[in-house]
Amino acid sequence: MSPVTTFLTRGDRVLFQGDSLTDWGRDRSDPSSLGHGWAGIAAALAGARRPELGLTFHNRGVGGDTAALVRDRWEADALALEPTVISLLVGVNDTWRRYAQGQVTSVEAYEEHYRALLDSARERLDARFVLVEPFLLPRTAQQAAWREDLDPRIAVVRRLADEYGAVLLAADTLFAEATIVAGAAHWTTDGVHLTPAGNGLLAEAWLDTLGING
């Protein structure tokens, strides 16, 4: 039987990076802690399904982070770990803070921060990328209006994925389709943060996108 092809290769060091969606309860005092959200689920299943790859996983997501805040800690929380693969999900807080706190980050600034993350990791580490779209599952009409701010950021991630030869996980499309099957409340508690089912769905999508099928 020929080996199953996957984006990941033997000995890869995979870093999950982003905001609370990735952070999700990880123990900051334990560098090996992966949290109990989608990133931890994906890492556990990847190890179970492809043990021969000898993969190592790290989670350095920080709740509340915008793209600029991820950039501020990128040296210590990404480059210093020398990952071979970086999975990045960031952007919804750039939108959230506009509506909750009046802190506006332009789409141009968001792209500049995001591009700086990719450039440094490619130049310093020659890392490969998995870019996860920021997403929104509106629970209210007011939250639905956030689309005008978030959709251009999603477009940035899609464009950068193409430009940098990254794997794109179309998470916003994934959840839009999922809400047709079951309402938004099945997948999210507040339009952004995920229920157990939502975390499971995103983890499965990450694995499927990388070719690590069950």
Side-chain angles (χ1 to χ4, degrees), residues 54-98:
L55 303 171
T56 302
F57 291 90
H58 300 283
N59 183 346
R60 292 296 185 274
V62 172
D65 266 11
T66 60
L69 291 173
V70 172
R71 184 178 182 180
D72 285 345
R73 58 186 179 79
W74 194 243
E75 178 68 39
D77 284 352
L79 301 181
L81 299 174
E82 299 185 342
T84 57
V85 175
I86 297 175
S87 180
L88 180 60
L89 168 54
V90 66
V92 74
N93 283 320
D94 292 87
T95 291
W96 193 318
R97 291 189 180 203
R98 169 182 174 180

Side-chain angles (χ1 to χ4, degrees), residues 135-138 147 170-182 187 201:
F135 54 84
L136 179 67
L137 295 80
R147 277 282 169 198
D172 192 60
T173 300
L174 171 75
F175 282 111
E177 294 174 350
T179 57
I180 298 173
V181 179
W187 309 109
L201 183 66

Side-chain angles (χ1 to χ4, degrees), residues 90-95 98 103-111 114 134 148-158:
V90 66
V92 74
N93 283 320
D94 292 87
T95 291
R98 169 182 174 180
Q103 297 179 8
V104 178
T105 300
S106 71
V107 175
E108 293 76 17
Y110 172 72
E111 179 170 351
Y114 207 119
E148 66 174 343
D149 188 89
L150 185 64
D151 284 353
R153 302 185 197 280
I154 294 172
V156 165
V157 174
R158 292 176 179 175

Side-chain angles (χ1 to χ4, degrees), residues 4-195:
V4 178
T5 301
T6 172
F7 172 80
L8 300 176
T9 61
R10 186 181 299 275
D12 266 336
R13 301 179 300 279
V14 183
L15 171 66
F16 292 105
Q17 186 56 267
D19 52 35
S20 60
L21 292 164
T22 299
D23 183 345
W24 214 264
R26 69 180 179 89
D27 182 353
R28 306 293 176 81
S29 67
D30 179 4
S32 67
S33 174
L34 297 173
H36 52 266
W38 75 272
I41 296 168
L45 290 175
R49 293 175 181 177
R50 299 301 303 273
E52 77 282 4
L53 291 178
L55 303 171
T56 302
F57 291 90
H58 300 283
N59 183 346
R60 292 296 185 274
V62 172
D65 266 11
T66 60
L69 291 173
V70 172
R71 184 178 182 180
D72 285 345
R73 58 186 179 79
W74 194 243
E75 178 68 39
D77 284 352
L79 301 181
L81 299 174
E82 299 185 342
T84 57
V85 175
I86 297 175
S87 180
L88 180 60
L89 168 54
V90 66
V92 74
N93 283 320
D94 292 87
T95 291
W96 193 318
R97 291 189 180 203
R98 169 182 174 180
Y99 296 96
Q101 302 173 17
Q103 297 179 8
V104 178
T105 300
S106 71
V107 175
E108 293 76 17
Y110 172 72
E111 179 170 351
E112 194 274 328
H113 292 312
Y114 207 119
R115 188 180 292 276
L117 303 177
L118 302 181
D119 283 342
S120 60
R122 185 169 65 177
E123 293 166 4
R124 290 265 299 273
L125 308 172
D126 194 26
R128 287 129 52 217
F129 304 113
V130 182
L131 305 188
V132 185
E133 294 176 352
F135 54 84
L136 179 67
L137 295 80
R139 297 290 304 274
T140 65
Q142 182 182 29
Q143 198 172 49
W146 294 13
R147 277 282 169 198
E148 66 174 343
D149 188 89
L150 185 64
D151 284 353
R153 302 185 197 280
I154 294 172
V156 165
V157 174
R158 292 176 179 175
R159 186 172 66 254
L160 292 178
D162 182 65
E163 179 180 339
Y164 285 77
V167 170
L168 175 69
L169 200 172
D172 192 60
T173 300
L174 171 75
F175 282 111
E177 294 174 350
T179 57
I180 298 173
V181 179
H186 183 76
W187 309 109
T188 179
T189 58
D190 58 4
V192 173
H193 297 97
L194 299 173
T195 62

Side-chain angles (χ1 to χ4, degrees), residues 198-212:
N199 275 298
L201 183 66
L202 188 56
E204 287 282 8
W206 191 88
L207 293 165
D208 289 346
T209 299
L210 270 58
I212 304 180

